């Protein structure tokens, strides 16, 4: 099974990196975040690498590492550089394993600008990836969830399903029903995100992921 799974969120700070680590572990996939901003806070690649237990997954180096904790296009502008989408596509082909998936993590949501012309959604289309949407329940999350779903439906991007974070709320059942996208599972909030937690959640997501990817 060799394909690209793109992890996007309904917003910033909804748990994309934890979800990416769980899915990478569940599928023994490779991991790649093409553009990392906010380097002073550490990198998501280092975080995922520290959380994986299997010895097969490879965490590939970012194409761009930018200092400012901002959208990729702005962080690049502040460093007087431009993020080249063609370079991302070239590296995606180079890094893609032949016998397992590659989990790719974006910055924020679908309409985050990658450069002056390209949004994350455009990059997903160019990468020919399938999407996992990460959501949490908060005031306004239904709107953000459904806007995300409608954008994906409008562009015809294939969606694997939803991963919800935090405690259960009936809103997630409504989002699944209205969007038509299945629920992969939920990753609970915890005080400690470590290898044991990621491995446990990966096992809980595994059956649903394999079924939806089949």
């Amino acid at each position: 099974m060799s394909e690209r799974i793109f992890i996007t969120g309904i917003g910033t700070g909804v748990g994309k990196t934890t979800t990416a680590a769980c899915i990478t572990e569940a599928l023994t996939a490779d991991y790649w975040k093409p553009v990392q901003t906010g380097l002073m806070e550490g990198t998501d690649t280092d975080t995922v690498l520290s959380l994986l237990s299997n010895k097969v997954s490879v965490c590939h180096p970012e194409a761009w590492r930018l200092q400012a904790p901002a959208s990729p296009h702005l962080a690049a502008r502040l460093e007087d550089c431009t993020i080249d989408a063609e370079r991302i596509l070239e590296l995606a082909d180079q890094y893609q394993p032949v016998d397992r998936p590659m989990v790719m993590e974006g910055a924020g949501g679908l309409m985050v600008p990658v450069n002056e012309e390209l949004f994350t959604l455009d990059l997903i289309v160019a990468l020919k990836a399938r999407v996992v949407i990460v959501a949490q329940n908060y005031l306004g999350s239904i709107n953000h969830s459904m806007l995300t779903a409608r954008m994906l439906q409008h562009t015809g991007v294939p969606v694997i399903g939803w991963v919800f974070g935090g405690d259960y709320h009936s809103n997630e059942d409504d989002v699944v029903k209205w969007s038509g996208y299945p629920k992969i599972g939920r990753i609970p909030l915890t005080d400690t995100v470590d290898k044991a937690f990621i491995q446990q959640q990966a096992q809980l997501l595994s059956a649903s992921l394999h079924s939806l990817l089949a």
Side-chain angles (χ1 to χ4, degrees):
M1 179 173 57
S2 177
E3 62 178 297
R4 294 168 183 171
I5 299 170
F6 199 99
I7 310 295
T8 194
I10 64 169
T12 301
V14 295
K16 292 191 309 298
T17 301
T18 298
T19 300
C22 291
I23 292 177
T24 299
E25 183 71 21
L27 299 176
T28 322
D30 282 8
Y31 171 87
W32 186 39
K33 181 158 187 170
V35 183
Q36 175 70 59
T37 62
L39 281 180
M40 295 180 67
E41 301 171 2
T43 72
D44 294 327
T45 303
D46 287 341
T47 297
V48 171
L49 182 61
S50 73
L51 293 172
L52 298 178
S53 297
N54 79 80
K55 304 302 181 184
V56 176
S57 296
V58 177
C59 293
H60 298 281
E62 305 90 342
W64 276 269
R65 294 162 58 93
L66 303 166
Q67 292 292 335
S71 64
H73 88 296
L74 179 56
R77 185 188 298 167
L78 293 171
E79 295 188 28
D80 196 25
C81 67
T82 301
I83 295 170
D84 181 4
E86 289 301 320
R87 179 59 177 160
I88 292 176
L89 298 180
E90 290 171 3
L91 287 173
D93 289 339
Q94 178 182 322
Y95 293 155
Q96 180 70 49
V98 297
D99 57 352
R100 60 185 185 275
M102 181 160 67
V103 172
M104 307 172 69
E105 182 181 351
L110 294 177
M111 298 309 293
V112 169
V114 176
N115 56 30
E116 303 298 331
E117 299 177 350
L118 198 75
F119 294 91
T120 296
L121 179 59
D122 303 314
L123 183 62
I124 295 171
V125 172
L127 288 164
K128 299 179 181 178
R130 298 171 70 182
V131 170
V132 168
I133 315 170
V134 181
Q136 284 189 1
N137 181 66
Y138 54 83
L139 187 62
S141 64
I142 291 179
N143 181 53
H144 295 160
S145 296
M146 294 310 301
L147 285 171
T148 298
R150 287 295 174 90
M151 283 297 296
L152 291 165
Q153 290 162 357
H154 178 71
T155 52
V157 172
V159 174
I160 299 167
W162 298 90
V163 173
F164 295 95
D167 296 330
Y168 169 77
H169 193 284
S170 61
N171 282 351
E172 67 190 60
D173 298 328
D174 293 327
V175 165
V176 167
K177 177 180 67 177
W178 292 330
S179 69
Y181 297 142
K183 176 180 172 181
I184 299 169
R186 185 189 313 107
I187 300 173
L189 293 176
T190 179
D191 293 331
T192 304
V193 178
D194 54 16
K195 287 187 175 184
F197 177 78
I198 295 299
Q199 193 170 40
Q200 177 192 51
Q201 298 307 310
Q203 290 173 352
L204 293 173
L205 295 176
S206 180
S208 180
L209 277 170
H210 280 91
S211 174
L212 291 169
L213 289 169

